[in-house]
Amino acid sequence: MELKTRYLGLDLKHPIIASPSPIPHNIDGIRRLEDAGAAAIELFSLFEEQIRYESESFDYFDSISSNTFAESLSFFPKMEDFKAGPDEYLNLIRKATEMCEVPIIASLNATTSEGWDDFARQMEQAGAKAIELNAYYIPTIDQSSHAVEQRYVDMVSVVRNAVSIPIAVKLPPFFSSMGDMAMRLAGAGANSLVLFNRLYQPDFDLANLDVTPALELSTPHEIRLPLLWIANLYGHVPCNLAGTTGVHSGKDAVKYILAGADVAMSTSALLKNGTGYLQTIIDEFVLWGEERGYESVNQMRGAMSKKNVLDPSAFDRANYVKVLQSFLPKRDLQVRQGRWDPI
Amino acid sequence: MSQTTEAPEAVSVNVATIDGNEAAAYVAYRVNEVCSIYPITPSSTMAELADQWASEGKRNIWGEIPDVVEMQSEAGAAGTVHGSLQAGSLTTTFTASQGLLLMIPNMYKIAGELTPCVIHVAARAIATQGLSIFGDHQDVMAARSTGFAQLSSGSVQEAHDMALIAQAATLESRLPFMHFFDGFRTSHEVMKVELLPDETIREMIDEELVIAHRNRGLNPDRPFIRGTAQNPDVYFQSREAASIYYQKCPEVVEKVMEKFSQLTGRTYRLFDYFGSPTADRVIVLMGSGADTVRETVDYLNENGYNVGVLQVHLFRPFAGEKLLAALPKTVKHIAVLDRTKEPGANGEPLYADVIGAIFEATANGTSPFAQMPKVLGGRYGLSSKEFNPAMVKAVFDELVKPAPKNHFTVGILDDVTHLSLDVDTSFEIEPDDVHRAIFYGLGADGTVGANKNTIKIIGEDPRFYAQGYFLYDSKKSGSQTISHLRFGPRPIRSPYLISKAQFVACHQFNFVHRTDVLKPAAVGGTFLLNSPYPADEVWAQLPRIMQEQIIEKKLKFYVIDASKVAREVGMGNRTNTIMQTCFFAISGVLPRDQAIEQIKYSIKKTYGKKGDEIVRKNFEAVDGTIANLFEVQVPTTMSSKQELRAPVAAEAPDFVQRVTARIIAGEGDLLPVSQVPIDGTYPSGTSRWEKRNIAEFIPEWDEELCIQCGNCSFVCPHGVIRTRLFHKEMLEGAPEGFKSAEIDAKGFPDTLYTLQVYAEDCTGCTLCYEACPVRDKTKVGRRAINMIPKENEVIEAAQCHNKYFETIPVNDRAAVDFSSVRGSQFLEPLFEFSGACAGCGETPYLKLLSQLFGDRMLVANATGCSSIYGANLPTTPWSINHEGRGPAWSNSLFEDNAEFGLGMRVSSDRHRASAERILKAMANQVGVGLVDDILTSPQRVESDIRRQRARVQELKDKLVQIGTLEAKMLLAVADSLVRRSVWIVGGDGWAYDIGSGGLDHVLATGRNVNILVMDTEVYSNTGGQASKSTPLAAVAKFANGGKQVNKKDLALQAIAYGNVYVARVAFGANPQQTLTAFREAEAYDGPSLILAYSHCIAHGINMERGLDQQNLAVHSGYWPLLRYNPEVRQSGENPFILDSARPNLKFKDFSDNELRFRMLKQTNPAAVDRMMESAQAGINRRFKLYEEMAEVK
């Protein structure tokens, strides 16, 4: 089966990518992913928040403890040149692009316009082949949906103006009109939409009555939501689509490609089973495709998208109606193709 | 008036605004290869700068980066200096005070070996009746016999210049030099100075002499020995063999000064005379005081006087004839001012040298004077006591009185010897074209930093000279800072505090009720107040004394709600940029627009690298300032009836009213000699009178939710939370709102439990809340003790309830359960309300000690944080219980603390032995039964001890009746019959470094002493220098790139003795184990060592998370808990008990929360991964070893 894939204008040897995780935290981890067969490697996200936290915390501790008591006018060595910045990350990009054959995609989670602009530029300069904008935030209670949506669009515009390399946008699933958002983002300059971001959701510690952080690895069934939307969007948005979350086997990757994704990404499975597991996923993917007689990935792509599938209503009612079995003749169903469910 | 939007044209790169320490270190760094140091205030900065520059890769004039080595003590540093010199390297050190004293033996050697070297001393007072970090010449005078040449600088510029002159002179003369300048007054004064370019420095250093120095060094290719033992036949001649070098030295220095003058245009002489060439009165002195006298001399000479000043630069070797030659021949009266005291001597050193020179010249017939001048000696300025123009005038006036005082003092009121001079405090000479500004700030609010920045900004304008001097508080939290700034068109030579300021700013509103902020305000000046009240409401909030002065002095009065502005632009509570902008806007020093542009330019420079966001916020703050700055329309009459808060309550004891209160009120300078203790003995229990009220939020007890576990009280660093049991009868007299609850235990009928919060003493650290295990089921986040805003009603209620609480009987020590956390908290804390940082990790240990053993405890306290919060005047937290007993506490030095405590043990045991002997001899008179009971009482448990107390009291009563000499002798030592507990306490700086030799020896004596090391893993008191306790990978001063070596395992070293009780505790992780260890240690009849983990602000943590960090430290294996109890061996068990479970967290889980570890990514990015891995591996290794020793399966 011909595996070559084009994603974000990059030529990939196959459609399976290693998505951001702690693994590509250093050059060692990146090499291991390459050795395991990743077609491209996405670095962990650079968080503007983290950088600002470092910078502000240094500033805070420096000032709160200084010039208070005559014997200890300061507590830490002076760092005149201190600049909490992405240097480490940029160095990693540089080193990785030098040492690896496969494309390195940087990932950015900024919070301010300046942050998106500044860091994206620096990543491009450091040699990143593309940037994934890892944007998620929890809107406050008084923000309108319009404001929320505009924020995402603005983010893409800012980065589009700043860099010439391709931009992927990793989205959360909570938009009222996913299709509209997808079009607007593509219009603002996104070259790919990555579905979906898994948001940090705290848990309650009942013993201590405490709100505690909780980050768990994805489970296979989490594939369903992004699968649904990729299938819906395929053929309608003028940009790539990428499926992320819930890829725990080659078959999961198959599902995404069939839905219409250009690439499928895996993280949790690798964290759980080791980087070598990536090869297992690739092998499974290839095996399935060859067994079915597909000649190429391109042929697979979108075969089960809403556009192409016989009964698209399966996607419209999120399967509810299908369970009840459609009473309409097939021809009537076909007439309904291409129309969003009005109810 | 220029309206540029940029900085004024770039000033010459050779000008900088720095302090004396930086000025000296700048040169020292460039002309040395090795710096071997030990930190001590006020010299530490020199060493820290050297270390910082070395880590930045800055090079000396030979293109190399000097080695900076931190030693375990100054004695060690001096040894390393000596060794490095002996091996032929150019070596230096920086020190002061006690540190200099520790170097004396090596200084004799270095001088005896005629080895060139310059050491730089920020001259500081010596600890005598009390310790002082402040400046005078006692230390350098104590070292004057070592044979070192001594060169004095009197200003920041001189500190810079003389450093180079000394270096050139030492190479040529072969005499080692001590270059000194006044601690704080010069070392910490910020001034605009001209920097010496590297070319000039190179020109001054003769490379041939450097080669000669190398050639004299130890080298196996041309071996020799140095350091022989000499006998009566040759020692004396050998001593004299160097004399000729001392004779030649003054001329060498003159030559060097001449060359310096040619290169720089700045001329110095061995003795510099200023003033009237025909003066009849001259003051001779050295140091910063000379500038004050010089300024006063100029003024006086314009007003009818005929006076002069002779500034001494080269004190040793003392060139008497040159001094005489420098004086005007007309002089008839000389006052020699010494900034030191030599008790018992016939005058202080400089005085003795001057009269010696005059006498010799007169006797030889070589005197330049027609008549021998009358010379008086006087002392001034000890411990940075102010020395101002009024005092100078007093000295000049004294000289011509009919019966002038000799060996006088000036600057104090000595009503015992009556040798102090009267000073006319209204005498002022400061000109109007020098702008003087005073700023009152709260430590950590950024005021001082902003002022240093202001000085830089104004100093960069070539039209201006600028000076800054900063006063700090004796407390480590809630402390007040006072900045004195001067700006003028001429070089500023006024090293004294401002007494009339044209601009006064108060950056914390609550100061107005405690301090007479406007006392130094000049008539017609400006007053700026950071006020939460708007311009039309603030007047009514001011105290009478402030309204009075605003009106009488016709002050322009401005207010700004800086906190509000800061919040609005998203800067939290950082008000410094805002207040700084106000100063520029209204002081008129620079034109407003130019000033604003300058501030913005400076902001961009300072914060540019940290991101546009921060720059933007600061710009917004600047713009927001102008919009929110309002002038107050001052009424013509006063309306306030508010007086300043009394420093102490009216019921305070006599000493507290007479002395302590004056110091608290800032009037300590006015205390006459008769009022202060003659021998440094101060009463205990004074902190309870201070009532600092520094917390905005204080805890409130929820008696219904509370499970009475005692944790909050246990962890409270300031002893603010007290618990007590009482009979419910007592509730009848209780004031309204007095909280109590049924006791949460069986077997105590009719008993209630109360918990009191001493609101006015609380620092708001929130550790009580963090420690509380209770969770409110309905309002998550609430516990049984919660922080509430400290409104006036809250304070009033607390005062009322606390008062009633104090009438409830203290729970009987014999009935309290010492073994539980809860029980322990019914014991009176005898360590309360210290000046430690909010949330301090050390003080809970001391408080616990005082609760368990305070009424029979002697404490030897090492110098460090604990001696500062323990006894930095005006108050001490060590206090007295309801029976009049309490910890007997003393601080000796830093290096000798273990030995000091051992001395207390030996003495106590000695007294006990004497008491027993006399008791036996007097058995018949006193009662055989009583004697027997006293002698055989085991005194292991508290009830035994209580009974013994009763017996001893009975004994004492009888002895008073008997009244013989023998009875009196026994009476004097009878108290030692109650078991004495000797505690040797201090930090890791003492225990791991400077005092480790003594500590080790004391452990080896086998005596019954208890040693508590409060381990913050760094030198906390002096600003975060690395100790041997600093862990691998932690960033600290002198470990910029992370500590390269693992932390010393003091526990294992002590365990190796086999007969030492050793424990590692962490109260934040396991208070019960801490309590158990303390009790076991004290009960053990032998040496005990407790290493107590103390979280600290120097770790770069959110202090509210201190307990969490302790917990993480333990659970990650970073700080394992253990007890090694030799007594257990008697029952055949393994004495090594590992109290913490195998680590279930990684080191990273702990270290990620601490700046001291996170910083490593910035300071040493290449090594951070490796070092963090090493640290984790080290932790794993050590835990495995401990498990093996504890035989854990």
Side-chain angles (χ1 to χ4, degrees), chain A residues 56-314:
Chain A
E56 284 169 14
S57 75
F58 276 45
D59 215 28
Y60 173 78
F61 284 116
D62 202 37
S63 67
I64 203 182
S65 56
S66 54
N67 292 316
T68 299
F69 182 68
E71 290 209 72
S72 50
L73 293 175
S74 68
F75 279 103
F76 299 101
K78 239 194 185 58
M79 293 203 305
E80 292 294 345
D81 283 337
F82 167 65
K83 176 176 72 118
D87 292 341
E88 214 183 314
Y89 192 86
L90 298 174
N91 280 337
L92 189 62
I93 294 177
R94 270 184 216 107
K95 257 202 269 186
T97 43
E98 268 168 43
M99 303 207 162
C100 295
E101 311 260 332
V102 298
I104 302 297
I105 299 172
S107 176
L108 176 60
N109 179 317
T111 44
T112 62
S113 303
E114 294 89 12
W116 286 116
D117 181 287
D118 188 29
F119 293 133
R121 273 181 217 275
Q122 290 188 63
M123 286 175 176
E124 179 179 33
Q125 277 160 19
K129 291 288 182 289
I131 299 183
E132 180 182 279
L133 308 187
N134 179 11
Y136 68 78
Y137 81 114
I138 299 184
T140 56
I141 212 80
D142 56 352
Q143 272 186 310
S144 71
S145 32
H146 171 77
V148 171
E149 291 164 9
Q150 192 58 44
R151 194 178 153 134
Y152 282 89
V153 174
D154 289 342
M155 162 190 81
V156 175
S157 304
V158 164
V159 178
R160 184 72 282 158
N161 281 334
V163 301
S164 50
I165 50 177
I167 301 169
V169 184
K170 193 166 185 177
L171 294 173
F174 301 130
F175 296 107
S176 304
S177 173
M178 180 58 69
D180 180 48
M181 269 318 294
M183 296 302 284
R184 286 166 68 193
L185 291 173
N191 304 106
S192 168
L193 300 177
V194 182
L195 278 49
F196 283 118
N197 221 335
R198 293 175 71 242
L199 298 174
Y200 151 65
Q201 292 148 8
D203 199 357
F204 281 5
D205 173 350
L206 293 179
N208 290 318
L209 290 180
D210 257 341
V211 181
T212 55
L215 185 64
E216 283 143 16
L217 302 178
S218 80
T219 50
H221 81 266
E222 287 183 54
I223 199 177
R224 311 245 181 97
L225 192 59
L227 196 64
L228 167 69
W229 281 106
I230 289 176
N232 266 319
L233 292 174
Y234 177 75
H236 295 286
V237 286
C239 63
N240 289 151
L241 292 169
T244 187
T245 294
V247 177
H248 285 251
S249 67
K251 294 210 177 123
D252 296 324
V254 167
K255 288 179 188 173
Y256 270 131
I257 304 301
L258 290 174
D262 293 279
V263 295
M265 303 181 176
S266 186
T267 299
S268 299
L270 306 186
L271 286 172
K272 238 191 327 199
N273 303 312
T275 38
Y277 192 70
L278 189 61
Q279 191 58 55
T280 311
I281 294 178
I282 297 167
D283 290 341
E284 245 189 16
F285 177 88
V286 173
L287 188 64
W288 189 92
E290 285 180 346
E291 273 180 0
R292 286 289 189 286
Y294 280 97
E295 281 166 19
S296 69
V297 170
N298 288 340
Q299 195 183 27
M300 273 174 69
R301 187 167 287 114
M304 287 184 69
S305 68
K306 179 172 175 178
K307 192 170 172 184
N308 291 330
V309 100
L310 190 59
D311 182 4
S313 65

Side-chain angles (χ1 to χ4, degrees), chain B residues 965-1096:
Chain B
L965 180 61
E966 195 182 28
K968 285 187 186 157
M969 291 294 281
L970 177 51
L971 199 53
V973 293
D975 285 331
S976 63
L977 291 164
V978 176
R979 189 158 80 88
R980 285 265 163 89
S981 193
V982 172
W983 283 86
I984 297 170
V985 312
D988 54 289
W990 154 66
Y992 286 74
D993 292 348
I994 196 170
S996 67
L999 173 59
D1000 183 52
H1001 192 87
V1002 167
L1003 288 177
T1005 60
R1007 300 294 289 249
N1008 184 4
V1009 291
N1010 308 296
I1011 300 165
L1012 173 64
V1013 180
M1014 293 176 295
D1015 198 347
T1016 57
E1017 304 189 324
V1018 79
Y1019 287 16
S1020 298
N1021 191 49
T1022 46
Q1025 296 85 9
S1027 76
K1028 289 202 283 296
S1029 175
T1030 304
L1032 185 78
V1035 172
K1037 292 175 182 173
F1038 305 106
N1040 274 16
K1043 178 112 177 305
Q1044 302 293 316
V1045 172
N1046 266 313
K1047 178 192 171 98
K1048 164 171 159 176
D1049 195 332
L1050 190 51
L1052 274 190
Q1053 288 189 356
I1055 286 172
Y1057 273 109
N1059 66 328
V1060 176
Y1061 176 95
V1062 182
R1064 290 181 72 142
V1065 304
F1067 79 92
N1070 193 335
Q1072 181 61 58
Q1073 189 254 9
T1074 301
L1075 177 58
T1076 306
F1078 272 42
R1079 297 181 67 231
E1080 285 179 350
E1082 205 273 341
Y1084 178 64
D1085 187 10
S1088 304
L1089 174 68
I1090 300 176
L1091 301 179
Y1093 187 75
S1094 303
H1095 63 268
C1096 175

Side-chain angles (χ1 to χ4, degrees), chain B residues 6-237:
Chain B
E6 291 160 7
E9 64 182 70
V11 293
S12 156
V13 293
N14 282 340
V15 169
T17 313
I18 54 178
D19 65 13
N21 274 336
E22 189 168 351
Y26 185 96
V27 171
Y29 184 83
R30 280 163 178 69
V31 297
N32 279 288
E33 303 170 272
V34 177
C35 308
S36 163
I37 58 92
Y38 190 74
I40 183 169
T41 309
S43 71
S44 315
T45 326
M46 289 188 272
E48 287 166 17
L49 283 169
D51 192 51
Q52 180 195 322
W53 292 329
S55 69
E56 289 170 0
K58 291 204 162 72
R59 292 170 189 271
N60 63 17
I61 58 172
W62 296 283
E64 288 162 13
I65 302 171
D67 270 294
V68 179
V69 182
E70 185 194 17
M71 296 304 293
Q72 87 284 13
S73 71
E74 290 89 348
T80 303
V81 165
H82 189 200
S84 174
L85 288 169
Q86 282 291 357
S89 283
L90 295 173
T91 314
T92 188
T93 188
F94 313 103
T95 192
S97 184
Q98 317 298 133
L100 183 62
L101 301 190
L102 288 177
M103 294 190 175
I104 286 177
N106 259 305
M107 288 169 71
Y108 274 97
K109 294 231 78 175
I110 294 169
E113 288 157 2
L114 288 178
T115 308
C117 157
V118 179
I119 70 174
H120 301 269
V121 179
R124 164 181 147 179
I126 289 182
T128 55
Q129 85 291 344
L131 173 146
S132 166
I133 61 171
F134 295 102
D136 63 36
H137 299 164
Q138 288 182 79
D139 53 2
V140 297
M141 287 302 142
R144 72 186 188 282
S145 315
T146 56
F148 262 62
Q150 290 179 302
L151 191 63
S152 157
S153 285
S155 68
V156 178
Q157 182 71 64
E158 286 185 16
H160 188 59
D161 297 341
M162 293 295 168
L164 182 57
I165 288 168
Q167 188 69 31
T170 191
L171 285 169
E172 183 155 345
S173 67
R174 279 191 68 174
L175 297 191
F177 270 65
M178 179 195 312
H179 166 227
F180 68 97
F181 44 92
D182 294 353
F184 280 104
R185 190 64 251 184
T186 303
S187 70
H188 284 62
E189 182 185 69
V190 178
M191 282 282 242
K192 184 159 118 166
V193 296
E194 274 188 46
L195 287 180
L196 294 162
D198 279 3
E199 312 83 67
T200 305
I201 297 176
R202 278 194 202 95
E203 279 221 53
M204 288 290 295
I205 305 296
D206 185 341
E207 297 282 2
E208 293 297 326
L209 296 175
V210 173
I211 293 169
H213 175 75
R214 297 221 194 297
N215 288 340
R216 284 191 295 269
L218 293 165
N219 182 345
D221 290 309
R222 39 167 184 77
F224 53 78
I225 60 167
R226 203 178 275 146
T228 53
Q230 296 179 351
N231 300 309
D233 52 352
V234 295
Y235 179 94
F236 197 165
Q237 301 92 296

Side-chain angles (χ1 to χ4, degrees), chain B residues 809-863:
Chain B
V810 174
N811 296 128
D812 181 5
R813 287 178 75 84
V816 164
D817 176 12
F818 276 58
S819 68
S820 68
V821 166
R822 167 173 143 140
S824 70
Q825 295 313 298
F826 294 125
L827 300 167
E828 280 178 284
L830 302 179
F831 178 88
E832 58 183 5
F833 318 145
S834 70
C837 298
C840 176
E842 292 192 353
T843 49
Y845 294 112
L846 293 176
K847 189 187 68 178
L848 181 63
L849 263 196
S850 75
Q851 285 173 299
L852 297 172
F853 319 114
D855 64 347
R856 52 189 184 83
M857 175 165 109
L858 281 86
V859 181
N861 204 134
T863 305

Side-chain angles (χ1 to χ4, degrees), chain B residues 905-1153:
Chain B
R905 177 82 265 166
V906 172
S907 173
S908 299
D909 291 351
R910 181 81 262 128
H911 284 172
R912 199 202 156 99
S914 294
E916 287 179 353
R917 180 185 58 77
I918 304 175
L919 197 58
K920 286 183 195 141
M922 290 185 73
N924 289 330
Q925 297 171 67
V926 166
V928 176
L930 179 61
V931 169
D932 207 45
D933 285 344
I934 289 175
L935 292 175
T936 56
S937 168
Q939 297 193 76
R940 298 287 286 181
V941 295
E942 193 66 21
S943 47
D944 271 351
I945 295 174
R946 299 297 290 169
R947 277 194 286 275
Q948 182 77 335
R949 279 206 192 285
R951 288 182 208 114
V952 169
Q953 188 55 51
E954 194 189 325
L955 168 67
K956 284 160 83 170
D957 291 338
K958 287 194 173 157
L959 291 172
V960 168
Q961 295 292 325
I962 294 169
T964 57
L965 180 61
E966 195 182 28
K968 285 187 186 157
M969 291 294 281
L970 177 51
L971 199 53
V973 293
D975 285 331
S976 63
L977 291 164
V978 176
R979 189 158 80 88
R980 285 265 163 89
S981 193
V982 172
W983 283 86
I984 297 170
V985 312
D988 54 289
W990 154 66
Y992 286 74
D993 292 348
I994 196 170
S996 67
L999 173 59
D1000 183 52
H1001 192 87
V1002 167
L1003 288 177
T1005 60
R1007 300 294 289 249
N1008 184 4
V1009 291
N1010 308 296
I1011 300 165
L1012 173 64
V1013 180
M1014 293 176 295
D1015 198 347
T1016 57
E1017 304 189 324
V1018 79
Y1019 287 16
S1020 298
N1021 191 49
T1022 46
Q1025 296 85 9
S1027 76
K1028 289 202 283 296
S1029 175
T1030 304
L1032 185 78
V1035 172
K1037 292 175 182 173
F1038 305 106
N1040 274 16
K1043 178 112 177 305
Q1044 302 293 316
V1045 172
N1046 266 313
K1047 178 192 171 98
K1048 164 171 159 176
D1049 195 332
L1050 190 51
L1052 274 190
Q1053 288 189 356
I1055 286 172
Y1057 273 109
N1059 66 328
V1060 176
Y1061 176 95
V1062 182
R1064 290 181 72 142
V1065 304
F1067 79 92
N1070 193 335
Q1072 181 61 58
Q1073 189 254 9
T1074 301
L1075 177 58
T1076 306
F1078 272 42
R1079 297 181 67 231
E1080 285 179 350
E1082 205 273 341
Y1084 178 64
D1085 187 10
S1088 304
L1089 174 68
I1090 300 176
L1091 301 179
Y1093 187 75
S1094 303
H1095 63 268
C1096 175
I1097 196 167
H1099 296 169
I1101 60 170
N1102 177 353
M1103 289 296 274
E1104 292 179 355
R1105 305 252 74 88
L1107 305 179
D1108 287 347
Q1109 282 309 102
Q1110 291 210 14
N1111 215 20
L1112 290 171
V1114 170
H1115 288 110
S1116 63
Y1118 174 82
W1119 184 274
L1121 304 179
L1122 68 89
R1123 283 167 299 136
Y1124 181 89
N1125 192 346
E1127 273 187 358
V1128 170
R1129 223 187 272 123
Q1130 284 166 21
S1131 55
E1133 301 281 322
N1134 183 349
F1136 193 115
I1137 304 160
L1138 191 53
D1139 285 321
S1140 45
R1142 205 167 272 173
N1144 57 5
L1145 294 173
K1146 292 264 160 272
F1147 172 56
K1148 231 180 153 314
D1149 295 324
F1150 162 74
S1151 67
D1152 273 351
N1153 297 331

